[in-house]
Amino acid sequence: MKDLGPVEALDNKMVRVIDGVHLRAYPGQVTALLGPNGAGKTTTLACAQGLMPPNGGTVRLLGENPYQAGAALRSRVGVMLQEGGLPQAIRPLALLQHVAGMYQNPRSVDELAERLGIQGFANTPIRRLSGGEKQRVALAAALVGDPEVLFLDEPSAGLDPQSRAVVFDLIQELRAEGLGIILTTHLMDDAQRLADYVFIIDAGRTVVHGTVAELTAATDESAGVERMLTFDAPPGLSLDLPKPFTAVENVPGRYTVAGQLTPGVLAALAAEWAAHNVMPASIHMAPRSLEDVFLDISGKDLR
Amino acid sequence: MSAPATLIRRIALQGRYETMGMLRNGEQLLIAIVLPLLALIGLTVTPLLDTYTDDRIAMAAPGVLALCTVSTALTGQGIATGFDRRYGVLRFLSTTPLGQSGLILGKIIAVLAIMVIQVVVVGGTALLFLGWQPALGGLLPAAAQLVLGAAAFTSLGLLIAGTVRPEATLAITNLLWVLLAAAGGILFPVASWPDVFEPAAHLLPSTALGDALRSALIDAQFNLTASIVLLVWTVVASLAAIRWFKWS
């Protein structure tokens, strides 16, 4: 592993699950576990949270074994489960106040509720809330104890765009306050926007890890940013591009050109379109994304 | 640094929370208060118990208190725990300072709190309106055996809730309530069972609790055999629950 951040944090905050999954998370950072559904993200978190013992290997949370750890350790860790883990009959504020009572110095329930927009449905029983509303209550419940470590299992699931922005802002603010945040997501976009460090998990193993910049950077250190250009045009075109570029037709009528694209390459591509008398129906260009990284690693034929 | 509230406070809070949860739930109230009250009145105004006694209320009241225990500990706590398990509430709360042990202790407090209410309501109704005169010397043994019965039936309720789907828990615990009430030695002594089965019937926790309370509140006697049966059920069901209870 490389560039794991401040050394003094090493024994302070280390989550390490061995059984194909190796990972560490640090204070003041958002660590993302990224992978498709069923990759083993939630199980990894369950081991890290102490909800289940690993079959082998070591897990350390704030330097302790989290499985059946004492209340002192649990009070320093906030957990938001994938399905929320909320009782259904109670109202959001009553639940948050109940959970707050488990801590000596909880965060203010009113402030949290205000911040996450819970006041608007404070008097509706949890079972009648929408998925996004439940998600915000679950996040508040994870935060009410003022934790040092925060586990978020799929925090953006079910959120509408506005709630998502509110939740993402809060996560970034908490990171700035120094919380160590570990989140799972199957959305590349979430990881790209939030994470300082990403572990890509597939089929129960960490397959690659690094900062978003490292993962999406060109493999050649000296090179510039890799980009991917996608365009839609009639199928079956044979385009002659300067080496080493090629237009790959992944599905009939959809072509991609990837690599360190330059204006010269784009000009050559446009010239080829002109030569074939083709006007693409759409053109899209973006830096290499985590999604591309994931596809590269997990094998395009699999997904 | 974040710190947990004291153990006592956490457990007391959870106990209050679980108690309020049960009291706010209409079905729970029905099975914990309303149906036992109806049973008490029914057994007093009809001749159902006349084959066993000439003092209907003396035999009805201990049986209904035993039935209350089954309502709260087995059916009530079983169903509540089963659905909390389904929704991940058990997992979530066990990540808070409350923890798994605090969760269980909170449930025990809730069961005992509801049973205090039941004893007040059912016992009060029997005393004030139905002319019940319990044997005073049996009050302490009865209280002890109610607690023992609560332990046995809570363990059974948690065992069921922790091993099968909540819908199945709902069906099983409700069905058990009906079967035990009708023929499980709770409201009626098992003397009415066929002779071949009667010894086996005494091994049921429901018969044991019913017999224990009748011995105490009618004859002021401590029913040792029934207490041992309840104790064995408590130990076995607790061990089984610890072994097989799934938190998720």
Side-chain angles (χ1 to χ4, degrees):
Chain A
M1 279 189 204
K2 53 181 178 175
D3 191 20
L4 285 175
V7 176
E8 68 267 26
L10 261 170
D11 50 354
N12 181 20
K13 191 156 307 175
M14 179 170 78
V15 179
R16 183 183 164 90
V17 183
I18 302 177
D19 194 38
V21 177
H22 300 250
L23 63 91
R24 293 174 179 210
Y26 295 89
Q29 290 194 3
V30 174
T31 304
L33 277 61
L34 175 64
N37 290 327
K41 304 186 294 288
T42 300
T43 309
T44 303
L45 281 197
C47 289
Q49 292 154 351
L51 283 171
M52 60 184 283
N55 296 325
T58 327
V59 186
R60 285 288 175 273
L61 176 61
L62 294 164
E64 287 184 50
N65 180 356
Y67 185 60
Q68 290 176 344
L73 178 68
R74 290 195 304 272
S75 74
R76 298 167 65 193
V77 178
V79 173
M80 176 176 140
L81 297 172
Q82 192 164 9
E83 300 298 333
L86 304 175
Q88 301 292 298
I90 193 170
R91 290 159 213 277
L93 288 189
L95 174 72
L96 294 176
Q97 266 140 12
H98 175 60
V99 177
M102 301 293 166
Y103 301 86
Q104 231 166 62
N105 302 107
R107 280 176 180 255
S108 151
V109 167
D110 288 338
E111 269 174 41
L112 262 180
E114 180 75 44
R115 180 69 201 266
L116 285 165
I118 292 169
Q119 303 289 11
F121 48 85
N123 287 316
T124 312
I126 288 171
R127 76 159 61 81
R128 293 212 207 101
L129 301 181
S130 74
E133 290 167 342
K134 284 181 190 162
Q135 199 77 334
R136 282 182 273 159
V137 176
L139 177 58
L143 281 173
V144 77
D146 200 11
E148 294 161 55
V149 181
L150 181 62
F151 287 100
L152 305 171
D153 201 353
E154 300 278 352
S156 60
L159 292 183
D160 59 63
Q162 283 104 327
S163 317
R164 193 157 172 264
V166 170
V167 167
F168 280 24
D169 279 354
L170 183 58
I171 290 174
Q172 274 152 352
E173 194 181 303
L174 294 165
R175 168 177 56 192
E177 284 174 22
L179 267 78
I181 301 169
I182 299 100
L183 59 86
T184 70
T185 178
H186 62 280
L187 300 175
M188 310 290 165
D189 189 40
D190 282 7
Q192 208 143 1
R193 277 180 58 186
L194 285 175
D196 297 292
Y197 207 84
V198 179
F199 291 86
I200 295 185
I201 297 184
D202 188 32
R205 317 187 67 83
T206 33
V207 287
V208 68
H209 57 85
T211 62
V212 173
E214 284 167 355
L215 291 178
T216 57
T219 39
D220 181 351
E221 293 277 320
S222 63
V225 180
E226 288 218 0
R227 290 191 166 78
M228 181 176 282
L229 185 148
T230 311
F231 64 91
D232 292 309
L237 290 177
S238 170
L239 302 175
D240 189 19
L241 295 179
K243 284 196 170 162
F245 298 100
T246 51
V248 181
E249 190 174 359
N250 295 318
V251 288
R254 169 154 295 185
Y255 302 80
T256 52
V257 182
Q260 290 138 40
L261 301 177
T262 58
V265 177
L266 299 190
L269 181 61
E272 280 295 289
W273 289 335
H276 288 81
N277 196 21
V278 160
M279 180 60 205
S282 75
I283 304 170
H284 176 77
M285 189 177 71
R288 206 167 111 96
S289 70
L290 279 176
E291 193 143 17
D292 305 322
V293 176
F294 183 76
L295 286 177
D296 283 356
I297 290 160
S298 64
K300 285 177 175 135
D301 53 325
L302 288 178
R303 275 163 250 272
Chain B
M1 195 162 82
S2 198
T6 60
L7 179 67
I8 302 285
R9 180 173 153 80
R10 301 196 305 263
I11 294 167
L13 271 177
Q14 186 63 21
R16 189 183 70 180
Y17 167 85
E18 297 254 354
T19 308
M20 295 311 288
M22 291 179 86
L23 290 179
R24 286 212 192 92
N25 183 308
E27 293 108 71
Q28 298 269 21
L29 279 184
L30 183 72
I31 203 162
I33 305 281
V34 179
L35 292 180
L37 269 185
L38 288 178
L40 182 72
I41 295 165
L43 291 175
T44 318
V45 301
T46 65
L48 282 169
L49 286 174
D50 287 358
T51 39
Y52 311 100
T53 181
D54 45 20
D55 185 356
R56 288 176 189 167
I57 186 64
M59 182 162 277
V64 171
L65 289 175
L67 182 64
C68 286
T69 310
V70 179
S71 297
T72 303
L74 179 80
T75 310
Q77 216 19 276
I79 293 170
T81 305
F83 280 96
D84 274 356
R85 180 171 151 248
R86 149 80 49 88
Y87 292 113
V89 182
L90 302 183
R91 276 163 69 86
F92 169 66
L93 287 177
S94 58
T95 69
T96 70
L98 182 66
Q100 293 185 344
S101 50
L103 198 52
I104 301 286
L105 288 169
K107 288 183 179 299
I108 291 170
I109 289 179
V111 167
L112 294 177
I114 302 278
M115 284 178 59
V116 167
I117 296 172
Q118 290 172 311
V119 168
V120 169
V121 172
V122 170
T125 306
L127 284 171
L128 294 178
F129 303 111
L130 301 171
W132 184 37
Q133 291 177 310
L136 294 180
L139 291 182
L140 266 182
Q145 276 152 333
L146 272 176
V147 172
L148 188 56
F153 282 105
T154 306
S155 312
L156 284 169
L158 293 182
L159 175 63
I160 296 168
T163 48
V164 302
R165 290 181 302 115
E167 290 80 5
T169 300
L170 187 82
I172 293 170
T173 57
N174 275 324
L175 188 65
L176 277 177
W177 188 90
V178 173
L179 289 178
L180 294 180
I186 292 186
L187 298 176
F188 309 98
V190 288
S192 52
W193 280 39
D195 291 347
V196 208
F197 298 117
E198 205 193 306
H202 284 288
L203 297 179
L204 290 176
S206 48
T207 312
L209 183 57
D211 286 352
L213 292 179
R214 281 186 286 270
S215 301
L217 295 171
I218 297 174
D219 305 319
Q221 289 195 343
F222 184 82
N223 190 328
L224 186 65
T225 321
S227 304
I228 292 171
V229 170
L230 282 176
L231 193 63
V232 170
W233 274 98
T234 306
V235 171
V236 171
S238 305
L239 290 176
I242 289 167
R243 172 72 183 76
W244 284 296
F245 192 95
K246 290 194 292 280
W247 290 81
S248 55

